[in-house]
Amino acid sequence: MKKELGIAVLLFVLCAAVAVKNPRFLSAANLQNTSRLIGMYGIFSIGMGIVIITGGIDLSVGSAFALQGVLLSMMLREAHWPWPVAALASVASLMALGLFHAFFIVKIRLQPFIVTLCGLLIYRGLARSIAGDETKGFGSDSFGFLRYLADGNLGPIPMPFVLLLIVAAIMWAVLHRSVYGRYLFAVGHNEEAARYSGISTRRVVAGAYVLSMLLAGISGILFAFYTNSISPSNHGSFYELYGIAAAVLGGCSLRGGEGSILGILLGSALLQVLHNLVNLLGFESSRDFAVMGR
């Protein structure tokens, strides 16, 4: 809890400092936009945190977003699939990628870094090949509920932030109040000891990668409709680093066995406030990563 308290204090101090420097930080429009981004980044960051708790890593998320966005656009605009079917198929495709990662990690015993780094390259290449290196998009069509999830509000609260709260509540129960959650921490602390104690460590780790990609699939739909266009060469670039940074800032140890949902939420919020700071204080956009790195 000390780590979460520390990051919460840092977030509060940073928000106060930016508000003093530029009062527009507290404007309704700015708070809505920032919380919308926190929602979109926070959902897949929770999934990234689950993987990191097992002692793993996933570097392929950004490229998976590009592949999902291209497929979703083609299903909706070119194949004219019903939007619920297209959305479920796009999320299922990412879950299949998570299962693909799990196979090589738990069966073939390859390092997660290598497996997901290869995924980063493969999925980006597939996205570019399928799209013919052309930008895909959704035009002005709402496609039922999908655009509302990305751009709409529930009262004054952006829908992505509402979804984040729902996902966070569910994942808090899974991670901190379920047997599977205890198994995740046990595997992250010491996989061999967990296996000797009767835990099916392979299933636990495989479940973490599939669950991570499920949450990435939800975020991917939000990002696709938020940007409204998917350039296969750069859509989602470096997003996996945002997820890793949010999880680690929130207390997840890269060695595994540590982490909390609250910490990941605070880490996601801190990164987006830093991004907002760059815009409000007049820094060049090219300094975005430098500011967050500090």
Side-chain angles (χ1 to χ4, degrees):
M1 195 62 188
K2 289 183 179 179
K3 292 181 179 180
E4 289 86 348
L5 181 60
I7 195 74
V9 171
L10 177 59
L11 178 61
F12 175 79
V13 170
L14 182 62
C15 289
V18 177
V20 169
K21 191 72 174 177
N22 191 333
R24 283 192 301 154
F25 177 78
L26 296 178
S27 68
N30 185 66
L31 291 177
Q32 270 196 340
N33 187 56
T34 302
S35 58
R36 190 180 306 277
L37 291 173
I38 291 172
M40 289 189 284
Y41 282 93
I43 291 172
F44 81 86
S45 295
I46 290 175
M48 186 71 75
I50 297 298
V51 167
I52 291 174
I53 286 171
T54 67
I57 199 77
D58 191 343
L59 302 176
S60 68
V61 170
S63 295
F65 283 155
L67 179 58
Q68 181 193 22
V70 166
L71 292 175
L72 182 62
S73 173
M74 294 176 72
M75 285 187 285
L76 291 172
R77 298 276 292 179
E78 298 175 22
H80 305 291
W81 287 21
W83 69 264
V85 176
L88 289 174
S90 72
V91 173
S93 67
L94 259 65
M95 293 175 69
L97 297 183
L99 195 60
F100 177 72
H101 297 163
F103 172 78
F104 284 99
I105 292 167
V106 305
K107 288 288 188 181
I108 311 300
R109 308 301 293 177
L110 296 178
Q111 289 293 320
F113 182 90
I114 299 298
V115 172
T116 58
L117 179 61
C118 290
L120 179 151
L121 300 172
I122 293 170
Y123 308 149
R124 181 70 65 183
L126 281 175
R128 298 182 67 172
S129 176
I130 292 171
D133 232 359
E134 295 180 355
T135 299
K136 298 292 183 179
F138 304 98
S140 59
D141 297 325
S142 62
F143 293 109
F145 197 54
L146 296 183
R147 191 175 298 280
Y148 174 70
L149 288 177
D151 293 336
N153 301 310
L154 184 62
I157 306 175
M159 279 305 297
F161 194 78
V162 174
L163 288 176
L164 173 62
L165 296 179
I166 294 171
V167 168
I170 294 171
M171 293 310 302
W172 180 87
V174 170
L175 188 61
H176 301 294
R177 289 295 183 270
S178 74
V179 173
Y180 179 70
R182 290 196 291 272
Y183 286 175
L184 284 170
F185 284 109
V187 170
H189 275 297
N190 190 321
E191 184 174 350
E192 187 175 357
R195 184 166 58 251
Y196 282 129
S197 67
I199 298 173
S200 178
T201 57
R202 290 185 175 186
R203 290 184 179 181
V204 171
V205 173
Y209 281 91
V210 173
L211 182 58
S212 175
M213 277 300 187
L214 166 62
L215 298 181
I218 296 171
S219 285
I221 292 175
L222 300 180
F223 280 120
F225 276 91
Y226 179 72
T227 59
N228 206 41
S229 65
I230 295 90
S231 172
S233 61
N234 56 35
H235 182 77
S237 291
F238 300 111
Y239 282 20
E240 62 277 351
L241 300 185
Y242 281 95
I244 294 169
V248 173
L249 273 173
C252 293
S253 171
L254 290 173
R255 294 187 298 270
E258 296 180 32
S260 71
I261 299 301
L262 176 59
I264 297 169
L265 293 180
L266 292 171
S268 299
L270 180 60
L271 287 177
Q272 293 311 312
V273 169
L274 285 171
H275 177 73
N276 192 223
L277 174 153
V278 172
N279 296 325
L280 289 179
L281 299 188
F283 292 115
E284 296 177 7
S285 60
S286 58
R287 298 184 182 180
D288 194 359
F289 288 111
V291 170
M292 285 189 286
R294 291 182 182 180

